[in-house]
Amino acid sequence: MQKRKLGKSNLEVSAIGLGCMGMSFSYGPPKDVKEMTSLLHAAVERGVTFFDTAEVYGPFTNEELVGAALAPFRKQVVIATKFGFDLSGPDNRPGAAGLNSQPAHIKKAVEGSLKRLKVETIDLLYQHRVDPDVPIEEVAGAVKDLIQQGKVKHFGLSEAGVQTIRRAHAVQPVTALQSEYSLWWREPEAEVMPTLEELGIGFVPFSPLGKGFLTGAIHADTQLDKADFRNTVPRFSEENRKANQALVDVIGKFAARKRVTPAQVALGWLLAQKPWIVPIPGTTKLHRLEENIGAAFVELSPQDLRELESAASRIAVQGARYPEHLQKLVGR
């Protein structure tokens, strides 16, 4: 697996990382811990060195899983986690209990993450969502203190807007921004990506396969588990899935011609955009893990990219990418 550096930082990671959220949270019931531990080991054996988790996934159980599974490989891997949700209430789903990026809360969250991840230092610590009640300078200052104390190595933001990125970066250099980006969500290209390039910040796209839709495995009549978060996402309504199938068909035709899979085209397209982009597709299945890793070896020529983009840009994707209560938390 090739390596990439996230922006001007010296944080070097595998060109494709692994998003671990779905192992414990959000996409139906939590998966078997033993099976997921084997999958995490398989990822390391195949060259993946970049793993993404957060305290809110579970809450807490995903960090515990990742920490225990990756403990034998600690020196080989980079683990990213996130703070920013208030998990003190009885209903601690993300967004339900609100945000909390008060400096004292960040420091407390980090102590918990260090224990669960079984590490002395967090490689990359993201603010999970921008908290409008706490100036970003205070957030960046709190992380700066943690970096000076040796508890954190790198600072990241997630789904932050351009002004927030600039203000944070002025206090503590931001190593990476993690936001949604894929062939069916290209908004970051307008303002965010030029800002990242200018400041030397890496980009870590989550949902690079459109929450599974771009793989071609989900259709209008697919029945999602009742605990699956996608049931609440407007873009995944039956009507919108039917309309959005047009984009999957374009990717599928292109993939057939290249003799690769639709997922590999979608990930290969992302990798071709900038050398400082590292997507983190999530999966709970070994064959999907291997398929995603294979995308790092897919070569798309400038002509391929032009053709794919031209066909994709003619399709208007239907439906918001988040339910309203979560949509309010992005782009601030």
Side-chain angles (χ1 to χ4, degrees):
M1 167 92 72
Q2 305 102 311
K3 297 278 183 71
R4 290 188 162 204
K5 281 190 177 162
L6 287 170
K8 281 185 194 150
S9 74
N10 279 319
L11 186 57
E12 192 176 62
V13 295
S14 51
I16 289 181
L18 179 58
C20 302
M21 176 180 81
M23 297 177 182
S24 315
F25 175 79
S26 208
Y27 292 108
K31 307 300 181 278
D32 180 76
V33 168
K34 252 194 194 140
E35 284 176 26
M36 293 305 99
T37 300
S38 298
L39 187 69
L40 286 158
H41 290 178
V44 176
E45 283 157 14
R46 286 156 178 77
V48 176
T49 66
F50 190 34
F51 296 85
D52 185 87
T53 182
E55 64 164 0
V56 79
Y57 300 160
F60 310 128
T61 52
N62 195 245
E63 282 186 327
E64 287 164 358
L65 164 70
V66 170
L70 296 180
F73 310 103
R74 184 64 198 107
K75 291 199 168 80
Q76 290 165 249
V77 299
V78 169
I79 302 174
T81 192
K82 311 176 197 76
F83 65 84
F85 284 103
D86 189 339
L87 301 173
S88 56
D91 183 359
N92 47 22
R93 287 177 298 115
L99 300 171
N100 189 343
S101 279
Q102 294 291 345
H105 183 79
I106 295 171
K107 289 171 184 180
K108 190 177 162 206
V110 162
E111 292 305 326
S113 291
L114 287 167
K115 282 196 186 74
R116 289 185 290 274
L117 292 171
K118 301 183 187 299
V119 296
E120 287 174 17
T121 310
I122 291 166
D123 298 310
L124 174 56
L125 180 70
Y126 295 103
Q127 181 190 37
H128 209 147
R129 290 292 183 268
V130 175
D131 184 343
D133 297 332
V134 184
I136 196 66
E137 290 81 1
E138 287 182 25
V139 175
V143 176
K144 187 175 194 154
D145 291 346
L146 290 162
I147 290 171
Q148 285 166 351
Q149 290 162 26
K151 292 180 178 179
V152 172
K153 285 184 190 162
H154 295 270
F155 175 36
L157 297 171
S158 182
E159 289 282 10
V162 167
Q163 292 314 312
T164 300
I165 295 166
R166 288 188 184 282
R167 286 167 52 200
H169 191 70
V171 175
Q172 168 60 44
V174 176
T175 292
L177 175 78
Q178 179 179 132
S179 293
E180 186 167 352
Y181 180 44
S182 70
L183 271 167
W184 86 336
W185 180 255
R186 295 179 61 181
E187 192 183 81
E189 292 171 357
E191 291 181 10
V192 168
M193 284 170 61
T195 303
L196 300 181
E197 186 137 46
E198 177 200 330
L199 299 175
I201 298 171
F203 191 22
V204 178
F206 70 78
S207 298
L209 298 173
K211 299 181 170 61
F213 194 72
L214 301 183
T215 63
I218 296 171
H219 305 281
D221 52 359
T222 301
Q223 293 296 306
L224 298 169
D225 185 278
K226 64 180 186 299
D228 194 311
F229 156 78
R230 289 172 291 192
N231 288 314
T232 68
V233 173
R235 195 164 276 200
F236 276 86
S237 74
E238 190 178 333
E239 194 181 329
N240 286 337
R241 275 187 275 169
K242 200 175 281 179
N244 294 332
Q245 184 63 39
L247 179 60
V248 178
D249 292 344
V250 161
I251 296 168
K253 276 187 198 138
F254 191 87
R257 221 177 62 218
K258 298 287 290 181
R259 296 188 177 166
V260 295
T261 69
Q264 288 171 336
V265 168
L267 292 170
W269 175 82
L270 274 174
L271 290 169
Q273 299 308 301
K274 297 287 177 186
W276 37 266
I277 287 179
V278 178
I280 48 165
T283 187
T284 58
K285 300 180 180 78
L286 181 61
H287 74 277
R288 287 293 191 195
L289 173 73
E290 291 179 333
E291 179 184 355
N292 293 344
I293 289 169
F297 305 96
V298 171
E299 287 188 20
L300 299 176
S301 68
Q303 172 64 23
D304 288 336
L305 293 167
R306 277 195 299 274
E307 217 175 292
L308 188 56
E309 290 190 13
S310 161
S313 64
R314 288 197 288 271
I315 296 156
V317 176
Q318 301 299 309
R321 68 189 179 111
Y322 275 127
E324 203 176 332
H325 72 288
L326 293 178
Q327 188 60 43
K328 287 189 299 200
L329 304 182
V330 303
R332 291 199 281 223

PDB file of all heavy atoms in Angstrom, residues 53 59-69 116-118:
ATOM      1  N   THR A  53     -11.708   6.484  14.614  1.00  0.00           N
ATOM      2  CA  THR A  53     -12.745   6.187  15.587  1.00  0.00           C
ATOM      3  C   THR A  53     -13.186   7.504  16.232  1.00  0.00           C
ATOM      4  O   THR A  53     -12.800   8.579  15.776  1.00  0.00           O
ATOM      5  CB  THR A  53     -12.245   5.147  16.625  1.00  0.00           C
ATOM      6  OG1 THR A  53     -13.304   4.841  17.545  1.00  0.00           O
ATOM      7  CG2 THR A  53     -11.024   5.633  17.392  1.00  0.00           C
ATOM      8  N   PRO A  59     -21.786   5.062  22.504  1.00  0.00           N
ATOM      9  CA  PRO A  59     -20.520   5.735  22.743  1.00  0.00           C
ATOM     10  C   PRO A  59     -19.479   4.814  23.411  1.00  0.00           C
ATOM     11  O   PRO A  59     -19.842   3.859  24.078  1.00  0.00           O
ATOM     12  CB  PRO A  59     -20.884   6.861  23.708  1.00  0.00           C
ATOM     13  CG  PRO A  59     -22.372   6.933  23.726  1.00  0.00           C
ATOM     14  CD  PRO A  59     -22.856   5.581  23.329  1.00  0.00           C
ATOM     15  N   PHE A  60     -18.256   5.153  23.209  1.00  0.00           N
ATOM     16  CA  PHE A  60     -17.069   4.580  23.860  1.00  0.00           C
ATOM     17  C   PHE A  60     -16.664   3.193  23.361  1.00  0.00           C
ATOM     18  O   PHE A  60     -15.484   2.862  23.358  1.00  0.00           O
ATOM     19  CB  PHE A  60     -17.227   4.543  25.394  1.00  0.00           C
ATOM     20  CG  PHE A  60     -17.668   5.851  25.997  1.00  0.00           C
ATOM     21  CD1 PHE A  60     -18.762   5.904  26.852  1.00  0.00           C
ATOM     22  CD2 PHE A  60     -16.998   7.031  25.704  1.00  0.00           C
ATOM     23  CE1 PHE A  60     -19.187   7.121  27.410  1.00  0.00           C
ATOM     24  CE2 PHE A  60     -17.412   8.251  26.261  1.00  0.00           C
ATOM     25  CZ  PHE A  60     -18.498   8.288  27.107  1.00  0.00           C
ATOM     26  N   THR A  61     -17.634   2.358  22.931  1.00  0.00           N
ATOM     27  CA  THR A  61     -17.289   0.964  22.629  1.00  0.00           C
ATOM     28  C   THR A  61     -16.381   0.827  21.415  1.00  0.00           C
ATOM     29  O   THR A  61     -15.585  -0.101  21.335  1.00  0.00           O
ATOM     30  CB  THR A  61     -18.562   0.122  22.417  1.00  0.00           C
ATOM     31  OG1 THR A  61     -19.380   0.784  21.439  1.00  0.00           O
ATOM     32  CG2 THR A  61     -19.351  -0.031  23.705  1.00  0.00           C
ATOM     33  N   ASN A  62     -16.495   1.758  20.460  1.00  0.00           N
ATOM     34  CA  ASN A  62     -15.651   1.646  19.267  1.00  0.00           C
ATOM     35  C   ASN A  62     -14.196   1.938  19.601  1.00  0.00           C
ATOM     36  O   ASN A  62     -13.286   1.247  19.125  1.00  0.00           O
ATOM     37  CB  ASN A  62     -16.167   2.576  18.167  1.00  0.00           C
ATOM     38  CG  ASN A  62     -15.581   2.250  16.799  1.00  0.00           C
ATOM     39  OD1 ASN A  62     -14.849   3.043  16.215  1.00  0.00           O
ATOM     40  ND2 ASN A  62     -15.876   1.063  16.279  1.00  0.00           N
ATOM     41  N   GLU A  63     -13.964   2.940  20.434  1.00  0.00           N
ATOM     42  CA  GLU A  63     -12.583   3.212  20.868  1.00  0.00           C
ATOM     43  C   GLU A  63     -12.009   1.999  21.617  1.00  0.00           C
ATOM     44  O   GLU A  63     -10.840   1.649  21.440  1.00  0.00           O
ATOM     45  CB  GLU A  63     -12.536   4.438  21.788  1.00  0.00           C
ATOM     46  CG  GLU A  63     -12.628   5.763  21.064  1.00  0.00           C
ATOM     47  CD  GLU A  63     -12.418   6.945  22.002  1.00  0.00           C
ATOM     48  OE1 GLU A  63     -12.809   6.872  23.189  1.00  0.00           O
ATOM     49  OE2 GLU A  63     -11.860   7.955  21.544  1.00  0.00           O
ATOM     50  N   GLU A  64     -12.837   1.369  22.448  1.00  0.00           N
ATOM     51  CA  GLU A  64     -12.362   0.190  23.198  1.00  0.00           C
ATOM     52  C   GLU A  64     -11.978  -0.937  22.242  1.00  0.00           C
ATOM     53  O   GLU A  64     -10.936  -1.585  22.399  1.00  0.00           O
ATOM     54  CB  GLU A  64     -13.444  -0.289  24.171  1.00  0.00           C
ATOM     55  CG  GLU A  64     -13.604   0.633  25.372  1.00  0.00           C
ATOM     56  CD  GLU A  64     -14.904   0.399  26.142  1.00  0.00           C
ATOM     57  OE1 GLU A  64     -15.714  -0.464  25.720  1.00  0.00           O
ATOM     58  OE2 GLU A  64     -15.095   1.084  27.170  1.00  0.00           O
ATOM     59  N   LEU A  65     -12.826  -1.175  21.246  1.00  0.00           N
ATOM     60  CA  LEU A  65     -12.555  -2.211  20.246  1.00  0.00           C
ATOM     61  C   LEU A  65     -11.249  -1.920  19.509  1.00  0.00           C
ATOM     62  O   LEU A  65     -10.363  -2.777  19.397  1.00  0.00           O
ATOM     63  CB  LEU A  65     -13.724  -2.268  19.250  1.00  0.00           C
ATOM     64  CG  LEU A  65     -13.474  -3.018  17.932  1.00  0.00           C
ATOM     65  CD1 LEU A  65     -13.367  -4.512  18.170  1.00  0.00           C
ATOM     66  CD2 LEU A  65     -14.589  -2.731  16.920  1.00  0.00           C
ATOM     67  N   VAL A  66     -11.135  -0.699  18.986  1.00  0.00           N
ATOM     68  CA  VAL A  66      -9.954  -0.314  18.190  1.00  0.00           C
ATOM     69  C   VAL A  66      -8.697  -0.367  19.061  1.00  0.00           C
ATOM     70  O   VAL A  66      -7.646  -0.882  18.643  1.00  0.00           O
ATOM     71  CB  VAL A  66     -10.166   1.093  17.576  1.00  0.00           C
ATOM     72  CG1 VAL A  66      -8.885   1.637  16.965  1.00  0.00           C
ATOM     73  CG2 VAL A  66     -11.277   1.045  16.529  1.00  0.00           C
ATOM     74  N   GLY A  67      -8.801   0.147  20.284  1.00  0.00           N
ATOM     75  CA  GLY A  67      -7.643   0.153  21.184  1.00  0.00           C
ATOM     76  C   GLY A  67      -7.135  -1.236  21.481  1.00  0.00           C
ATOM     77  O   GLY A  67      -5.929  -1.519  21.398  1.00  0.00           O
ATOM     78  N   ALA A  68      -8.056  -2.150  21.812  1.00  0.00           N
ATOM     79  CA  ALA A  68      -7.656  -3.522  22.149  1.00  0.00           C
ATOM     80  C   ALA A  68      -7.108  -4.244  20.916  1.00  0.00           C
ATOM     81  O   ALA A  68      -6.079  -4.923  20.980  1.00  0.00           O
ATOM     82  CB  ALA A  68      -8.841  -4.278  22.738  1.00  0.00           C
ATOM     83  N   ALA A  69      -7.800  -4.086  19.774  1.00  0.00           N
ATOM     84  CA  ALA A  69      -7.392  -4.821  18.568  1.00  0.00           C
ATOM     85  C   ALA A  69      -6.033  -4.360  18.036  1.00  0.00           C
ATOM     86  O   ALA A  69      -5.242  -5.159  17.534  1.00  0.00           O
ATOM     87  CB  ALA A  69      -8.455  -4.664  17.485  1.00  0.00           C
ATOM     88  N   ARG A 116      -9.155   4.218  26.752  1.00  0.00           N
ATOM     89  CA  ARG A 116      -9.856   3.238  25.910  1.00  0.00           C
ATOM     90  C   ARG A 116      -8.990   2.777  24.741  1.00  0.00           C
ATOM     91  O   ARG A 116      -9.055   1.630  24.338  1.00  0.00           O
ATOM     92  CB  ARG A 116     -11.184   3.828  25.398  1.00  0.00           C
ATOM     93  CG  ARG A 116     -12.226   3.978  26.503  1.00  0.00           C
ATOM     94  CD  ARG A 116     -13.558   4.433  25.956  1.00  0.00           C
ATOM     95  NE  ARG A 116     -13.534   5.809  25.479  1.00  0.00           N
ATOM     96  CZ  ARG A 116     -13.736   6.885  26.243  1.00  0.00           C
ATOM     97  NH1 ARG A 116     -13.981   6.745  27.538  1.00  0.00           N
ATOM     98  NH2 ARG A 116     -13.713   8.099  25.731  1.00  0.00           N
ATOM     99  N   LEU A 117      -8.199   3.703  24.199  1.00  0.00           N
ATOM    100  CA  LEU A 117      -7.341   3.345  23.063  1.00  0.00           C
ATOM    101  C   LEU A 117      -6.046   2.657  23.506  1.00  0.00           C
ATOM    102  O   LEU A 117      -5.272   2.211  22.669  1.00  0.00           O
ATOM    103  CB  LEU A 117      -7.010   4.592  22.234  1.00  0.00           C
ATOM    104  CG  LEU A 117      -8.195   5.216  21.478  1.00  0.00           C
ATOM    105  CD1 LEU A 117      -7.799   6.560  20.874  1.00  0.00           C
ATOM    106  CD2 LEU A 117      -8.717   4.283  20.387  1.00  0.00           C
ATOM    107  N   LYS A 118      -5.818   2.633  24.824  1.00  0.00           N
ATOM    108  CA  LYS A 118      -4.609   1.999  25.385  1.00  0.00           C
ATOM    109  C   LYS A 118      -3.337   2.627  24.831  1.00  0.00           C
ATOM    110  O   LYS A 118      -2.399   1.933  24.439  1.00  0.00           O
ATOM    111  CB  LYS A 118      -4.601   0.480  25.116  1.00  0.00           C
ATOM    112  CG  LYS A 118      -5.793  -0.278  25.686  1.00  0.00           C
ATOM    113  CD  LYS A 118      -5.638  -1.775  25.431  1.00  0.00           C
ATOM    114  CE  LYS A 118      -6.865  -2.568  25.816  1.00  0.00           C
ATOM    115  NZ  LYS A 118      -7.220  -2.489  27.226  1.00  0.00           N
TER     116      LYS A 118
END
